[in-house]
Amino acid sequence: MTRWRIALLLSAAIAISYLDRQALSVAVAAIQRDIPLTNVQFSHLQVAFLLAYALMYAGGGALVDALGTRRGLLAIMIAWSLATASHGLATGFRSLLVCRFLLGMGEGGGFPAATKAVAEWFAAGERSTAMGIINAGTAVGAVVAPPAIALILQVASWRWVFFTTGAVGLAWTIWWLRDYHAPPSPASA
């Protein structure tokens, strides 16, 4: 696998993270038919995600340093995908709050893992381009999320939004396991 395909693989992971994090906001009207949420409660759901996300930036980096890029990002993606899917099992505000916190914990490790992969695979003169490709995943995920989630809501309940987006992340892990391996030599040039 070429290093540019690694950048594409990582960009897809980041796109999935932005799809997952927007699912609540796009599906909230449908969710509120089952789980009434006030504006204050909705803001608490956002804070739970962002607080965990911020805390996990450092924690995710340490995890990837300890496990290595391949196993570290695999663990991170599995955790955030299961956290995403768990939203579909929520029965009230508190369970949604826990799901949002867990999602933030998982997703917070995504960028540190992607950055480590770039450092391992790309020479210093190519790292900005690689990170640009990876960061483009944020826009792709943000653009894809509303119509994809709206489509799911047309054919299924809001719970399937989260089951489906969680499944997308788990499917990505198969791609990751199949295609990602340690770089052939240190990227120090």
Side-chain angles (χ1 to χ4, degrees):
M1 171 176 252
T2 68
R3 62 191 184 284
W4 297 108
R5 287 184 60 203
I6 296 290
L8 180 63
L9 180 60
L10 293 165
S11 183
I14 299 304
I16 292 166
S17 79
Y18 272 70
L19 170 67
D20 292 348
R21 75 181 59 184
Q22 288 194 40
L24 178 72
S25 297
V26 177
V28 71
I31 294 168
Q32 286 178 314
R33 290 192 279 277
D34 289 340
I35 302 173
L37 296 170
T38 66
N39 286 341
V40 171
Q41 288 174 318
F42 183 77
S43 71
H44 289 163
L45 295 175
Q46 301 299 70
V47 167
F49 170 81
L50 292 170
L51 178 63
Y53 188 84
L55 291 172
M56 196 54 184
Y57 253 62
L63 179 70
V64 173
D65 285 342
L67 296 178
T69 307
R70 186 172 197 263
R71 290 187 310 160
L73 188 52
L74 177 67
I76 288 165
M77 180 63 94
I78 289 171
W80 101 47
S81 297
L82 293 176
T84 298
S86 73
H87 286 64
L89 303 173
T91 58
F93 168 71
R94 287 188 181 135
S95 54
L96 275 175
L97 190 69
V98 169
C99 293
R100 292 311 283 177
F101 187 83
L102 292 173
L103 179 61
M105 291 294 288
E107 284 194 8
F111 275 108
T115 303
K116 181 163 182 131
V118 167
E120 291 172 348
W121 274 90
F122 291 88
E126 298 173 329
R127 290 180 186 156
S128 293
T129 302
M131 285 306 298
I133 291 168
I134 293 164
N135 284 330
T138 63
V140 171
V143 168
V144 168
I149 292 165
L151 180 64
I152 295 167
L153 289 171
Q154 286 181 349
V155 298
S157 80
W158 65 268
R159 295 178 187 281
W160 281 97
V161 167
F162 297 100
F163 298 147
T164 303
T165 55
V168 169
L170 292 174
W172 180 91
T173 65
I174 296 166
W175 182 17
W176 178 253
L177 284 172
R178 188 190 74 209
D179 287 356
Y180 190 87
H181 54 83
S185 63
S188 58

